[in-house]
Each structure stands twice: as C-alpha cells, then as structure tokens.
Amino acid sequence: MSASDSGSTSHKLWEVFTQPPGGGPHEHAGSVHAADAEMALQNARDVYARRNEAVSLWVVPSDQITASTPEDMGPFFEPGNDKAYRHPQFYKVPQGVRVF
Amino acid sequence: MLGHRLSEWCGHGPILEEDIALTNIALDLVGQATLLLGRAGAVEGKGRDADALAYLRTDRGYRNAHMVELPKGDFGFTIVRQFLFSVYSMHQLEALQSCADADLAGIAAKALKETRYHVRHSAEWVVRLGDGTDESHGRAQDALDELWRYTGELFTTDAVEQKLVPQKFAVESSTLQDPWMRDVSDVIARATLRMPGEVYQQRGGRSGIHTEHLGVMLAEMQVLPRTHPGAKW
Amino acid sequence: MTPAPASTDDPKRVAEFEARIARGETIEPKDWMPEKYRRQLIRMMSQHAHSEVVGMLPEGNWITRAPSLRRKMSLMAKVQDEAGHGLYIYCGTETLGVDRHDLVLQLLSGTAKYSSIFNYPTLTWADIGAVGWLVDGAAIVNQTMLAKASYGPYARAMVRICKEENFHKRQGYEIMATLAAGTPEQHAMAQDALNRWWWPSLMMFGPHDADSPNSGELSRWGIKRKSNDELRQRFVNLTVGQAKAINLTIPDPGMTFDEDTKNWIFSEIDWDEFWRVVKGDGPCNRERLAARRKAHDDGAWVRAAAEAYAEKQARASSAA
C-alpha cells in the first residue's frame, strides 16, 4: 500500500468527554480523529481543553458506544413520568416548618 | 525562534488536530520567550522590553542555538527537532527552578510544565514516524541525521555561563548532556531509529554567528517595527 | 452517503417532523428527518467548517510578521481557534452520517463551497484588524442565530464557537483602534483595510432574500431563523457606531439613518463581484485551494505512518 493510498483513509473517530474544574461529572465535548488512543487523548487535550475547560479527559472509540434509539424513547423514558413518588415534592411537610 | 518556526505550520499541518497541537506548542514557546526576554530587559536596566529585544536586535545580537533557527522542513524534521530541543529544554528548566534569580526560577517552574507536554507530544510522534511506514522511517532518520550536527552546541559552556554558574544564576550546559542523551536514546530505540554516529558539531549561535537562515527570518519577523520606527501596535 | 430523493419521504412523517420543529424541539442525530433536511444540513455545516479551515490562511499569512509578541500570540491563538471551530463543525456534520475525510476531499476538489470572504488577500497588518472586527463580527451575528438552529449538534457547536469568537472580534477591533490612533501612516493603513473589507463583509450574509434559493426551506425547518437581509442590517447597525468611535469612515458616502426603523440604509452591494468570487474568480480562490491541497498531500505520509503504527500496536497486543 502506498503512502497516498493510506493517507486517503481517515483516522478513526473518538468521542471526547471532559470533566470541568470543580468536580462536576465528565460531559461529552465533541469528537476527534486519531489513529490510536494516546494520540486521541493528546488531540482531545489540544482541541477541547485549550481554555482550562477540563481537569480530566476520557476518549472512547465512537463505534464502541451503544446508544438508545429514538424508538426507545417511549418505553425507556415515559414510565418515569407518573412516578411522582420519586420526587421530594410528592411529600407534604407540616406548615410552619420553613427549612427542611 | 522555535515558536516562530512552529507557527509557520498554522493552517498547513498534516491533520487539523495537529495544526492545533503545534500551535499550542508555539504559543507556549513564544510565551516563554516573552517572559524570559522581559526578565532579561529588566536585568539589563536600559529600558528595553521583551519586544525591543525580539524586534530590534539584528542577527548578530541574537544568541540562540543554530538548531532552532533552521527552516521548518517537513513534518518529520519539525517533530524530530521539537523532540531534541524539548528534552534539552526540560532538563535545563528543571535545573533552573533552583536558580538564584527568583523571577527566573518562577518562569522555569511554569515553563517546565508546558515543556514536559512538548516532550510527550513530540516523542510520541517520533515513535510513530520512526515505527510507521518505510517512508516515514526514512524521513525521520534523515531528520535525525541532519539535526545531529546541531545538538552539540546545546551543551557548550561559554564564558558568560562560566561566570554565572558559581553564583547559581545559570545552569552549566554540559551537565545536561547525559540526562538528555538517556531520554533521547530511549525514544530513538522505541522508534526503531538508529543513533547517528559522531559528526562534526556546528557552533556559533551563542556568540552571534548564525546560519544564513536567521537573517531572512528576522527580516520577515521585524518588518513592521522596522518600517514604522516608534509606532505602537 | 447516498441521499434519497426527497419525494420518498412519507408526507405524514414530514408533517410530524415539522410539528416538532414548530414546538421548538431540537432534532438529534438518530431522529428521523426528511432527506432534504439532512442534505441541507450537510451542505451548510460542511461549508461552514470549510470556511473556518480556509479562513486560517489569510490570517495565518501575518503570523510571522505580527508586530509584537503579544499580537503574535493572540493571532496564533485566533487562527488556532479557527482550526478548532472547523473541527467542532466537522464533528457535528459527521453525526449526519458523513465522514470528515469525504467532506475534505470535496473541498480540495473544488466541488464544495466555503465563504467567499477568504478569497480576498490580507495585504497589510491592518487587514488582520479588519478581518477580526468585520469578518468575525459578521460571523458572530450569523452564528448567534445558528446557535438556535433546530439541529442539536450544530446548535451546540455554535454555542461553543460564539463563546470563543468574542475574543476574535475584540482582538480585531483593538488592532484597528490602535492603528487608527497611531501615526498618520497607521491610520491610513486602517482606513484602507476598512475600505477593502467593508463590502466583502456585507456580502458574507449572502444574496438578497428574494435571490436566495434555499432560504424558505431553511427557515421553515428552523435551521436559519433570520433572513440574510435581516442579519446584514443588524451587522451594519452594530458596526457604524464602532467605526465612528475609532475615527474611521465606512466607505459608503450614501449611507443614511432611517429614524423610523432606526436602521442605517446602505448602498447596493456589487452583486456582480459577489457572484464572480463565488464562482471562483476572486483574487485568491486558486491560492487558497492550492494551499489546502498542499497541506493535505504533504500530510499523507504522516497520516499513513500513524495508521501503520496503530495497526502494528493492535496486532502486537492481540498476539500477546
């Protein structure tokens, strides 16, 4: 395989997750192309953490992510709608108790 | 100088991600240069700031090593040079953290963090180019062989340095060579490249005798302040 | 990617889709969308990404000649951001099922478009100021609107980009203000740059609404929520005061202020020039593409090396 053949395929895609300073969870920031994990990590650092946005980085090959589909939306998420007992507002606090 | 050379890649890198990475390194280097020149101007006490030192000295007044003023070459040349220089710079900055000049020690501590990353980034690329395809291996080896003649100058102790070392204002360059060689040969081995043999070492940068490239580079870099003397930008 | 003709889209699903947009919902990558919506997005987003990348060239032209260390660093950081922005948008476009590499090949072969503004040359240092102030200023007006686009990944990329681009515009304006307040030569340099960049900046918003073939659809689908002419007017209104404040003159002597609408009414744009540059006969169209092609070709052996190394490592670890 000549160099130009190989140069015409693109590096694989990685999803980047950044953890902001202050202890929040890792959040999806975007993606980068890289041939291997170390380069993906370095690229993620340079692309998504130029402005102190992150104290920690994850990179994951995009094809390794399993995601719910729009068809799952009903069965996955709607059953949560009528379970009001999972929220604190469901429960009464006696009048006069201001800070609970 | 090296920051300037690296910045020439901005918009022309092999992949978009690498444009950003090289520019990050260039930004760190120009930032370090600004701090160092600022401190140098203050110590000199003649009212020259970092810009005056960068933009109003001629090539004979510059004291940089030849290695950093060479044209950027191909990506292999740029990466191998970055690696050889960053490892040198890392060891120098480590030592300078205990410099008797508190400002310089502070600059060194900040720059060291940046430079450790430069070493990591360039070393990983040296390994990939060296142990990649036949073509990349050849290009990386050519770059290494070509640059080797400019490495000796990094470890030469001159008269100024000799005066400053006992007062702990400077690091004796020759002491950096062993740790540099260890790090460099490790990575070269990982990259399946061959260490160049003994070659004649070019020198002169420290006394203001440069390659022909520096004058051209400065002519470009200094064109605006030279054309409009005294103007503010 | 083989886009199906729009006619295969089930009208019922299209109606449901349009109802979602009307309710202000965002569309996400795996959601059903009309084929035409997907195609329009790919076209628009990839043009936008290409523009960011090609946009690195005219400004990169002055990095090595920036007149002070501070200016050199901020220009490098800005051009670097353009690369980042190109990347964010390519990454958003890839969620639509296209590969960045194919998009780049379309750019290099000349079949994809990018913003014509970058086919104008940066002749003096003041052009760097003018580009930051006017070109990024116009881009921000446009992108603030796109940050509310109906397609989630595009809108999210725009939010991030708008946050970062504010520094670009200020950087440019600061350069212009410094020059305008400097020596007579510097002031002349600034005015000359404004003269050359003003009209191309107005052209950035595209043809008049009446002559813009995609506008109706893009607005119905919530991709573009304001028209070209509205955005252009907003940009002019913002910029007039900024020019006055630094003692520069907008090169449109016929410009008048309409008290009723509070709009600055400007002269007609030279649409012949607009179409000429779009069609490839701008001052730098050839140079820009040649530079991108060279970077791509020169980088082929590097990308091949990275791939080859990754394959070797993968083989070694699976053998172990």
Side-chain angles (χ1 to χ4, degrees):
Chain A
M1 183 166 59
S2 82
S4 61
D5 284 345
S6 177
S8 67
T9 63
S10 70
H11 293 333
K12 80 188 215 188
L13 195 63
W14 304 72
E15 299 300 322
V16 178
F17 299 82
T18 54
Q19 184 181 33
H26 284 75
E27 282 177 8
H28 186 237
S31 59
V32 290
H33 284 271
D36 60 51
E38 168 68 19
M39 282 309 187
L41 198 58
Q42 293 198 9
N43 290 342
R45 176 247 192 207
D46 289 323
V47 175
Y48 293 103
R50 294 198 300 286
R51 290 178 163 83
N52 285 324
E53 296 100 325
V55 291
S56 163
L57 285 173
W58 293 344
V59 290
V60 184
S62 303
D63 57 16
Q64 296 295 307
I65 290 181
T66 310
S68 63
T69 65
E71 290 71 40
D72 294 334
M73 214 191 301
F76 268 47
F77 308 118
E78 274 166 29
N81 284 350
D82 60 353
K83 311 282 193 297
Y85 43 80
R86 289 202 177 107
H87 299 278
Q89 294 78 2
F90 184 73
Y91 303 95
K92 292 191 180 68
V93 174
Q95 275 189 350
V97 180
R98 293 199 170 269
V99 182
F100 184 72
Chain B
M1 288 296 105
L2 191 57
H4 184 98
R5 283 298 188 207
L6 272 184
S7 74
E8 294 171 0
W9 279 101
C10 199
H12 306 275
I15 55 169
L16 206 45
E17 281 86 348
E18 192 57 22
D19 271 42
I20 300 179
L22 289 180
T23 309
N24 259 353
I25 298 180
L27 278 168
D28 287 343
L29 290 172
V30 177
Q32 292 174 13
T34 306
L35 293 173
L36 291 170
L37 290 172
R39 182 64 191 145
V43 170
E44 186 193 45
K46 289 185 188 159
R48 293 202 289 180
D49 61 7
D51 279 330
L53 289 171
Y55 284 89
L56 300 174
R57 276 185 300 163
T58 62
D59 62 330
R60 297 284 280 112
Y62 264 81
R63 289 289 179 269
N64 60 279
H66 286 174
M67 180 191 279
V68 297
E69 72 200 34
L70 302 172
K72 74 182 198 303
D74 67 4
F75 184 74
F77 188 88
T78 287
I79 281 295
V80 172
R81 166 169 59 187
Q82 190 62 50
F83 170 66
L84 296 174
F85 182 79
S86 294
V87 174
Y88 158 77
S89 178
M90 178 176 73
H91 289 297
Q92 187 185 45
L93 292 167
E94 268 167 12
L96 276 176
Q97 288 184 105
S98 46
C99 172
D101 182 287
D103 285 20
L104 187 51
I107 296 170
K110 175 185 180 292
L112 180 59
K113 287 186 203 137
E114 298 169 346
T115 306
R116 284 199 173 123
Y117 184 76
H118 305 169
V119 170
R120 174 169 170 177
H121 186 76
S122 56
E124 291 297 333
W125 265 117
V126 169
V127 169
R128 278 155 186 74
L129 298 183
D131 194 14
T133 63
D134 289 346
E135 181 182 8
S136 71
H137 181 89
R139 284 178 185 251
Q141 187 67 55
D142 287 350
L144 187 61
D145 292 342
E146 175 63 25
L147 281 158
W148 204 250
R149 77 193 72 237
Y150 300 102
T151 54
E153 186 178 24
L154 301 174
F155 307 106
T156 311
T157 301
D158 66 10
V160 180
E161 202 176 284
Q162 264 163 11
K163 220 168 67 190
L164 292 176
V165 168
Q167 301 155 23
K168 289 197 175 306
F169 279 117
V171 178
E172 193 168 352
S173 298
S174 56
T175 62
L176 304 172
Q177 190 153 20
D178 286 347
W180 177 83
M181 189 63 93
R182 260 200 310 278
D183 291 351
V184 167
S185 22
D186 279 356
V187 171
I188 287 181
R190 265 181 70 206
T192 70
L193 294 168
R194 174 181 42 75
M195 285 293 274
E198 293 271 322
V199 288
Y200 179 77
Q201 293 294 322
Q202 298 292 334
R203 288 175 219 277
R206 300 287 188 223
S207 48
I209 306 291
H210 289 276
T211 66
E212 289 179 345
H213 305 294
L214 182 63
V216 178
M217 176 174 154
L218 289 179
E220 182 180 18
M221 180 178 131
Q222 298 177 338
V223 60
L224 283 169
R226 297 281 191 196
T227 315
H228 304 267
K232 295 261 179 300
W233 301 95
Chain C
M1 215 237 356
T2 45
S7 57
T8 61
D9 286 333
D10 176 0
K12 202 172 133 242
R13 298 194 88 175
V14 175
E16 275 167 26
F17 173 84
E18 291 187 348
R20 288 190 64 194
I21 297 210
R23 285 196 299 272
E25 290 180 29
T26 55
I27 307 301
E28 294 298 332
K30 293 191 167 182
D31 294 353
W32 185 88
M33 60 188 84
E35 206 40 53
K36 192 86 185 292
Y37 176 84
R38 182 188 302 274
R39 280 212 307 267
Q40 286 283 21
L41 272 173
I42 292 174
R43 181 188 64 84
M44 234 178 111
M45 291 172 73
S46 59
Q47 275 183 18
H48 194 162
H50 297 329
S51 302
E52 296 281 354
V53 174
V54 177
M56 296 169 73
L57 299 170
E59 291 181 278
N61 178 32
W62 279 88
I63 287 178
T64 53
R65 289 176 290 171
S68 71
L69 293 164
R70 175 170 176 261
R71 292 286 181 218
K72 191 192 274 299
M73 286 190 278
S74 45
L75 184 56
M76 277 197 270
K78 175 171 190 283
V79 179
Q80 181 192 44
D81 272 351
E82 318 280 358
H85 297 171
L87 236 151
Y88 302 159
I89 309 171
Y90 279 130
C91 132
T93 318
E94 283 180 305
T95 62
L96 292 162
V98 284
D99 192 300
R100 179 169 114 200
H101 188 74
D102 296 330
L103 299 174
V104 170
L105 291 184
Q106 287 169 13
L107 170 69
L108 299 182
S109 67
T111 52
K113 296 253 177 291
Y114 56 88
S115 179
S116 280
I117 193 79
F118 301 118
N119 289 321
Y120 289 87
T122 49
L123 301 177
T124 71
W125 171 249
D127 290 28
I128 298 307
V131 169
W133 173 35
L134 301 173
V135 176
D136 288 284
I140 290 172
V141 168
N142 199 26
Q143 286 167 174
T144 308
M145 179 253 322
L146 290 171
K148 300 188 190 81
S150 57
Y151 188 57
Y154 197 20
R156 288 192 287 273
M158 285 305 121
V159 169
R160 197 179 178 105
I161 290 173
C162 284
K163 237 193 278 173
E164 298 187 354
E165 280 216 343
N166 268 325
F167 118 69
H168 297 182
K169 184 181 167 184
R170 277 172 179 252
Q171 181 248 193
Y173 190 59
E174 189 191 90
I175 290 175
M176 286 303 253
T178 308
L179 292 174
T183 66
E185 288 90 351
Q186 285 178 306
H187 185 277
M189 199 191 279
Q191 183 63 52
D192 169 59
L194 173 56
N195 293 349
R196 281 181 291 110
W197 287 93
W198 173 252
W199 293 106
S201 303
L202 297 194
M203 294 177 198
M204 282 176 70
F205 295 96
H208 280 314
D209 298 340
D211 307 322
S212 180
N214 299 313
S215 275
E217 212 156 50
L218 293 177
S219 111
R220 191 171 77 243
W221 284 339
I223 301 176
K224 285 186 69 169
R225 296 187 186 271
K226 288 207 171 80
S227 76
N228 293 353
D229 286 329
E230 281 175 287
L231 292 170
R232 185 163 22 235
Q233 185 65 57
R234 179 171 161 69
F235 171 72
V236 171
N237 292 350
L238 283 172
T239 311
V240 170
Q242 292 164 1
K244 266 194 197 132
I246 57 173
N247 198 19
L248 293 176
T249 312
I250 288 180
D252 183 2
M255 200 182 247
T256 54
F257 188 67
D258 181 341
E259 282 293 347
D260 297 335
T261 58
K262 303 286 176 208
N263 282 335
W264 283 95
I265 309 301
F266 48 95
S267 307
E268 193 55 56
I269 289 169
D270 179 351
W271 294 108
D272 290 341
E273 176 180 328
F274 173 82
W275 290 112
R276 190 172 67 240
V277 182
V278 168
K279 292 188 173 127
D281 286 327
C284 300
N285 296 56
R286 287 157 179 280
E287 285 86 341
R288 299 298 183 236
L289 274 189
R292 286 312 309 164
R293 282 194 199 114
K294 184 173 183 322
H296 186 80
D297 294 346
D298 289 354
W301 69 271
V302 179
R303 296 190 296 275
E307 284 295 329
Y309 177 80
E311 278 166 32
K312 283 185 206 175
Q313 294 299 108
R315 264 203 308 276
S317 70
S318 67

